[in-house]
Amino acid sequence: MLQPFPGDSPPPNCLHGCFSSSPFHGAAASEHPPDSTPTVTSATLRRNFAQTTVSTIFPDTEFVDPNSLPSHQESFSDFIQAYPNYSDTYKIDRIRSDHYFHLGLSHYTCLDYIGIGLYSYPQLLNYDPSTYQISSSLSESPFFSVSPKIGNLKEKLLHDGGQETEFEYSMKRRIMGFLKISEEDYSMVFTANRTSAFRLVAESYPFNSKRKLLTVYDYESEAVNEINRVSEKRGAKVAAAEFSWPRLKLCSSKLRKLVTSGKNGNKKKKKGIFVFPLHSRVTGSRYPYLWMSVAQENGWHVMIDACGLGPKDMDSFGLSIYNPDFMVCSFYKVFGENPSGFGCLFVKKSTIPILESPTGSGMVNLVPTDNPISIHALEINRTQTQSEETYSFSSSVEYKGLDHVDSLGLVATGNRSRCLINWLVSALYKLKHSTTSRLVKIYGPKVNFNRGPAVAFNLFNQKGEKIEPFIVQKLADCSNISLGKGFLKNILFEDDYEGGKDRVFEKKKNRDFDEPGISVLTAALGFLANFEDVYKLWIFVARFLDSDFVDKESVRCGIHVFEHRNREVV
């Protein structure tokens, strides 16, 4: 271990945000009586959280030897000392052990899932809890399969519910209830994935030479590339927000100019679409919800990308306040076992009439399987009256994944992920080479009460050379850890940092040009994540302190390293 230099601890990076959650060491804000006045301000709570994390998680300590790391039990003890209210989330551990026991049996740590799980693992196995029997065979496409269909988005939205099957109706009702989206205000279609949903919006929106597309993403996304491509082809002027190096904070002044520029005397004539992700699914940066109001006040249709949100983050969103015109989210079948699923595109009913009517692909039908556990007996009695079609809905279809999240609520899931991700960020910063250079570089927010449950990072050797993310990802997989990869972009280097730009950036082919950015590793925590998951990742990363680890582990895992493209640390 080395003693750090004075002031060497990573300073808290306090982003502006509107995420409403309980403090880490106190009761939820909603528990205060209406006439009471909290004794501590929100800003103070957030500042105290960052200070407590830095001062409690291995204080005044740095690790240069992977064999010197404290044990799981020692680390967990420090963790609970820093975040005592983590103990209030033990119901999640019970759900994990009872309904997702495959995670413990396989010893696999899943840190690359994005979206929300629909079902539990026993449902997947045809598991009978009364006899502890598991089906000997599994369906290749459990619960349901996805069937593509060609159609007209506008027509499908206008005739919402008229052509869907009983299974699709059941799924739609459950999802809209889970997300607290009113069927009176929004129509929904199932899509193949997030990219398909983005493309459908671009193909149907009435773009022309005077309308724009403005996106807010600090990373490359297939879905964003697709909406850019289609919108630009249809005449839209495409623009993107920028993020300042090195903290990757949203450049608010530049974004405000993009949002407010141009005259909009006719309030009914919109400027275009403002695509807003609420937070970055790669770096974990959260963005103020106020941007939606600013965009709406300046004549934009607002599209919310909710695919990277935590399972109950929509509870803090206030959908009825902001009323976005479009919203996209995604669902998968079973966490840690079956990542297949679908996307959902919601369109505000008052916005549907302005859409155009092209015929295209991207929408899908959900076709149920014969699995009795996933389908049970579905009964929907539809009776036609003179004035309207009414539904009497009764179903024994169970979406245990959604039920588990609903039983926990926003406070429990939000506090748990906040504690885990901030411990991980703080612990990663404690790893240093003997030359005092850091092993890990984190991109985006550091220790922060308001950060999302994702982190972007890279590893560097003792010479300060970047270890290629794909190599780290392959070695992690060999250690039963699944990590994601991303490409950071739209980065603005101010004058003070302009000199290091060439050393930081790499080029990636995007359509007809090379786009500058940074390849990174990503770790995303789902609501089932526990301390063992983040500790296991920390132990794995620490092994790179051994200068021979990459070569030795590559041989053990049968990975042939073709190329090392090294980057210096700025």
Side-chain angles (χ1 to χ4, degrees), residues 132-145:
Y132 297 97
Q133 295 297 313
I134 295 177
S135 172
S136 59
S137 62
L138 295 178
S139 168
E140 291 183 2
S141 183
F143 305 109
F144 60 86
S145 60

Side-chain angles (χ1 to χ4, degrees), residues 201-213:
V201 172
E203 290 174 342
S204 303
Y205 189 78
F207 281 117
N208 54 48
S209 59
K210 293 183 180 180
R211 282 190 168 166
K212 306 172 185 177
L213 176 73

Side-chain angles (χ1 to χ4, degrees), residues 169 173 379-383 390-394:
Y169 178 73
R173 285 282 302 273
E379 298 177 355
I380 302 177
N381 299 317
R382 304 187 178 190
T383 58
T390 61
Y391 297 86
S392 59
F393 178 79
S394 64

Side-chain angles (χ1 to χ4, degrees), residues 18-245:
C18 304
F19 183 66
S20 175
S21 300
S22 65
F24 71 104
H25 60 355
S30 59
E31 293 174 2
H32 289 290
D35 56 348
S36 69
T37 302
T39 57
V40 185
T41 66
S42 176
T44 301
L45 287 173
R46 282 156 171 72
R47 184 169 58 251
N48 289 346
F49 176 87
Q51 291 173 347
T52 299
T53 298
V54 173
S55 63
T56 307
I57 306 303
F58 313 127
D60 302 321
T61 303
E62 287 171 344
F63 302 98
V64 298
D65 181 356
N67 298 314
S68 68
L69 271 59
S71 67
H72 176 274
Q73 187 58 47
E74 291 175 296
S75 301
F76 186 65
S77 177
D78 289 339
F79 175 80
I80 292 298
Q81 181 182 351
Y83 313 117
N85 268 21
Y86 181 85
S87 301
D88 297 338
T89 70
Y90 281 155
K91 184 178 179 181
I92 298 177
D93 295 307
R94 173 60 63 184
I95 289 174
R96 174 170 169 149
S97 63
D98 289 350
H99 299 279
Y100 302 89
F101 48 83
H102 61 294
L103 299 173
L105 294 175
S106 65
H107 302 289
Y108 205 87
T109 298
C110 301
L111 301 175
D112 60 346
Y113 270 67
I114 298 293
I116 302 170
L118 294 167
Y119 304 104
S120 68
Y121 190 66
Q123 287 183 283
L124 177 68
L125 297 180
N126 261 346
Y127 175 68
D128 185 347
S130 63
T131 62
Y132 297 97
Q133 295 297 313
I134 295 177
S135 172
S136 59
S137 62
L138 295 178
S139 168
E140 291 183 2
S141 183
F143 305 109
F144 60 86
S145 60
V146 174
S147 173
K149 66 177 181 181
I150 305 297
N152 182 309
L153 174 63
K154 183 175 182 178
E155 180 180 347
K156 179 67 174 68
L157 293 168
L158 288 173
H159 299 88
D160 186 25
Q163 300 175 337
E164 61 194 3
T165 66
E166 293 176 346
F167 177 72
E168 289 173 324
Y169 178 73
S170 163
M171 182 74 78
K172 183 185 77 172
R173 285 282 302 273
R174 183 64 182 96
I175 286 175
M176 295 187 80
F178 177 79
L179 296 174
K180 295 181 170 54
I181 296 176
S182 169
E183 293 184 63
E184 294 183 0
D185 299 325
Y186 286 87
S187 294
M188 187 195 102
V189 296
F190 296 106
T191 66
N193 48 40
R194 175 172 172 249
T195 300
S196 297
F198 275 53
R199 183 173 60 250
L200 282 166
V201 172
E203 290 174 342
S204 303
Y205 189 78
F207 281 117
N208 54 48
S209 59
K210 293 183 180 180
R211 282 190 168 166
K212 306 172 185 177
L213 176 73
L214 176 56
T215 59
V216 186
Y217 290 85
D218 60 5
Y219 63 94
E220 183 181 61
S221 161
E222 180 183 355
V224 177
N225 287 345
E226 185 67 3
I227 196 173
N228 284 344
R229 181 189 67 81
V230 176
S231 301
E232 195 170 34
K233 184 178 179 180
R234 300 189 62 235
K237 295 180 179 179
V238 176
E242 292 183 303
F243 304 84
S244 61
W245 180 264

Side-chain angles (χ1 to χ4, degrees), residues 459 461 465-472 475 544 547 549-551 554 559-567:
L459 306 185
N461 62 24
E465 299 168 338
K466 178 177 169 181
I467 303 172
E468 277 302 296
F470 88 91
I471 297 174
V472 180
L475 296 180
F544 287 83
S547 59
F549 172 71
V550 172
D551 292 334
S554 296
I559 299 171
H560 181 63
V561 180
F562 289 96
E563 178 185 10
H564 286 269
R565 291 178 298 167
N566 300 320
R567 303 282 172 184

